[in-house]
């Protein structure tokens, strides 16, 4: 654990920014931007900026996509590629509850792959469909209670997500339009640098802690800036 000193903060920020050098910038810039966008989600929502999109990291097996995802979410905790909190083996209902619980943070959903059976494929596609509803449309699924008369509203996503997969599901154009797809191939990642960052990844959560503290202390000014940006975009 690191104490709050300017030296330690500078080291932590440099380590986080070194993620940009893991691969080509068209890969790393949107990924790192997603990390620092996640704690701002509630503030952006106050300015009527819903952030309705799903970030989908696509790559063949061995491209290090799960390791990169784990490194990104290590800004919010201690994660490895095999301890990510979400995956396509989960049910859609489970994903929905986790998406609601993980407020203003980054939720990784790992390992969409070509299915071996029809049943397995349907399950993974159901999870993918749920994700595009939760994060793309920012809508909760309603359900009928057992009495057959009362409608129960579901949970809505309150953070951001990153999905990893060997492919992208076949979906309606209205769904895929809400996807930020980032392609990664074997050899794209600097493995030596990746290993070096992983060894010091506790500094990433320290960096995020200080960033969140800055957001808390400057929420009013951030809100005002967001309002100006929305007006400019409409103009």
């Amino acid at each position: 654990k690191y104490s709050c000193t300017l030296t330690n903060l500078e080291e932590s920020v440099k380590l986080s920014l070194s993620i940009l050098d893991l691969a080509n910038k068209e890969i790393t810039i949107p990924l790192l931007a997603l990390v620092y966008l996640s704690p701002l989600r509630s503030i952006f929502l106050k300015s009527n900026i819903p952030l309705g999109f799903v970030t989908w990291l696509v790559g063949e097996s061995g491209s290090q996509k799960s390791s990169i995802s784990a490194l990104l979410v290590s800004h919010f905790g201690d994660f490895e590629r095999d301890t990510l909190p979400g995956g396509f083996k989960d049910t859609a209902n489970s994903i929905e509850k986790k998406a609601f619980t993980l407020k203003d943070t980054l939720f990784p959903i790992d390992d969409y792959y070509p299915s071996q059976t029809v049943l397995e494929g349907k399950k993974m596609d159901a999870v993918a469909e749920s994700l595009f509803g939760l994060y793309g449309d920012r809508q909760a699924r309603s359900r009928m209670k057992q009495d057959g008369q009362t409608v129960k509203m579901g949970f809505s996503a309150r953070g951001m997500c990153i999905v990893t997969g060997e492919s992208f599901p076949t979906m309606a154009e209205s769904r895929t339009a809400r996807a930020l797809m980032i392609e990664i191939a074997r050899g794209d990642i600097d493995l030596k640098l990746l290993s070096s960052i992983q060894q010091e990844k506790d500094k990433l959560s320290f960096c995020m802690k200080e960033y969140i503290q800055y957001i808390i202390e400057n929420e009013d000014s951030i809100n005002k800036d967001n309002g100006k940006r929305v007006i400019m975009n409409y103009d």
Side-chain angles (χ1 to χ4, degrees):
K1 303 296 181 182
Y2 287 82
S3 59
C4 185
T5 69
L6 288 177
T7 300
N8 291 337
L9 180 57
E10 183 178 358
E11 291 176 356
S12 300
V13 171
K14 285 183 177 179
L15 185 71
S16 181
L17 291 177
S18 69
I19 291 174
L20 295 173
D21 298 322
L22 282 172
N24 293 332
K25 295 300 189 292
E26 57 263 30
I27 294 173
T28 57
I29 287 177
L31 291 177
L32 192 60
L34 179 66
V35 169
Y36 287 98
L37 178 64
S38 298
L40 294 168
R41 198 265 159 174
S42 291
I43 294 178
F44 273 58
L45 189 61
K46 292 178 182 178
S47 301
N48 197 30
I49 306 174
L51 302 179
F53 64 92
V54 174
T55 301
W56 199 289
L57 185 58
V58 182
E60 62 184 322
S61 179
S63 60
Q64 306 298 320
K65 55 187 182 297
S66 295
S67 295
I68 293 299
S69 180
L71 191 65
L72 296 174
V73 297
S74 288
H75 284 82
F76 301 96
D78 185 11
F79 295 99
E80 302 290 345
R81 64 186 306 277
D82 57 352
T83 61
L84 294 173
F88 280 87
K89 295 184 186 297
D90 297 341
T91 65
N93 287 342
S94 171
I95 290 290
E96 184 179 302
K97 183 63 181 294
K98 291 177 183 178
F100 174 81
T101 302
L102 296 173
K103 182 176 183 288
D104 296 334
T105 188
L106 183 58
F107 179 24
I109 303 95
D110 192 42
D111 204 20
Y112 180 92
Y113 57 87
S115 60
Q116 302 298 314
T117 66
V118 173
L119 183 61
E120 184 182 46
K122 286 183 177 180
K123 180 181 177 181
M124 287 196 296
D125 286 343
V127 171
E129 186 72 27
S130 175
L131 289 171
F132 278 95
L134 288 166
Y135 290 98
D137 299 332
R138 292 288 174 179
Q139 293 180 350
R141 294 186 302 165
S142 60
R143 298 178 179 85
M144 184 69 71
K145 289 188 176 180
Q146 291 182 349
D147 60 15
Q149 298 179 353
T150 310
V151 175
K152 178 183 178 182
M153 291 304 298
F155 298 99
S156 58
R158 299 192 296 170
M160 304 301 294
C161 78
I162 179 168
V163 183
T164 69
E166 294 181 20
S167 60
F168 189 81
T170 301
M171 289 190 172
E173 187 175 345
S174 60
R175 291 300 203 202
T176 57
R178 297 184 181 277
L180 172 60
M181 191 184 302
I182 302 171
E183 295 187 39
I184 185 171
R186 289 183 185 179
D188 281 347
I189 299 299
D190 183 334
L191 298 180
K192 184 177 180 180
L193 179 58
L194 175 62
S195 177
S196 176
I197 299 174
Q198 288 172 332
Q199 292 174 18
E200 299 185 278
K201 63 186 177 69
D202 54 331
K203 292 182 180 180
L204 299 178
S205 57
F206 176 79
C207 182
M208 180 56 65
K209 170 182 170 292
E210 294 300 309
Y211 175 63
I212 291 174
Q213 185 61 42
Y214 171 84
I215 293 172
I216 293 171
E217 294 172 357
N218 295 273
E219 182 175 353
D220 290 341
S221 61
I222 294 172
N223 271 322
K224 289 179 182 178
D225 288 342
N226 284 340
K228 292 176 183 177
R229 290 191 184 98
V230 172
I231 293 172
M232 290 175 64
N233 286 338
Y234 282 141
D235 290 344

